[in-house]
Amino acid sequence: MQEPVSFFTGFNPNDLWFLGEAALKTLWISILSITIGSVMGCVFGWVLHESKSVAGIILAPILDVFRSVPLLIQLVLFYNFAPMVGLDLNPFLSGVVILTFYTASLVTNVARGGIESVETSMRRASRSLGLTYWQDLFHVVLPIGGRTVFPAWIGVVLGVMKDSALVSVLGYVELLKASQILITRTQEPLLILSIAGAFYFALSYPISLYASKFEKRWAK
């Protein structure tokens, strides 16, 4: 007589490896989204600071949509409507697109705040010394303004990394989705969520630590 096969099994080392791979996927989607989104946000912040014309009028409401609408709704809507316009994107690419624009919408205000934190008199002085507009922007505004808003940008980075867990609703097996899969199989939510939380901490804490050291070094 065959022994009955039990669906529920205990947590084993292979499950830990599975969570580790999912953590790397979380890190990968976060790096892509934060890097591209930060660059876009800096450009958008500069546009909003310098332009009061149609570019600024059109761009600001679009960014407000990404800041105001819950990220979960953005992910679901984009993933379901993209095929209607001919975009055949998998969950990973859909997540990258939305997280990138979400990051850009947050970094835009950070970047604009950094530009506006540099006093006008200082910028006029740099121009009077013969610096061009772009030299003033990269050699005066960027070092001073960047130092001012660096902590705020780190906050955005850590926030987006945690928000990347919402991509799990699209079927992308990142850390949260992997945890849900294992909880369903093992029925050990406390253990698995504790391990997942430890992975999130392992991803986030080095960023906070390095940012703190970099900020102190920058302030010297």
Side-chain angles (χ1 to χ4, degrees), residues 2 4 12 16 20 29 73 77 94 120 166 175:
Q2 292 183 346
N12 57 67
L16 184 62
I29 197 172
I73 296 177
L77 288 179
S94 297
T120 304
L166 296 176
L175 190 51

Side-chain angles (χ1 to χ4, degrees), residues 7-12 14-15 18 179-188 192:
F7 176 75
F8 301 110
T9 59
F11 188 83
N12 57 67
N14 289 333
D15 296 330
F18 180 59
S179 301
Q180 293 172 339
I181 293 172
L182 292 180
I183 289 173
T184 301
R185 201 201 76 216
T186 65
Q187 297 296 297
E188 297 183 23
I192 293 173

Side-chain angles (χ1 to χ4, degrees), residues 3 12 17 25 48 56 74 76 88 90 96 112-113 119 121 127 136 140 146 156 163 191 201 217:
E3 296 183 359
N12 57 67
W17 181 260
K25 291 182 178 180
L48 292 181
Q74 295 181 42
V76 173
D88 186 16
N90 57 35
V96 168
R112 182 170 62 174
E119 296 182 3
S121 58
R127 297 299 296 276
D136 166 62
V140 177
V156 171
D163 290 340
L191 173 63
F201 178 78
R217 188 186 311 165

Side-chain angles (χ1 to χ4, degrees), residues 64-87:
D64 285 338
V65 169
F66 283 98
R67 279 195 297 266
S68 304
V69 177
L71 182 58
L72 181 61
I73 296 177
Q74 295 181 42
L75 288 166
V76 173
L77 288 179
F78 179 77
Y79 185 63
N80 286 279
F81 280 102
M84 298 181 183
V85 295
L87 295 176

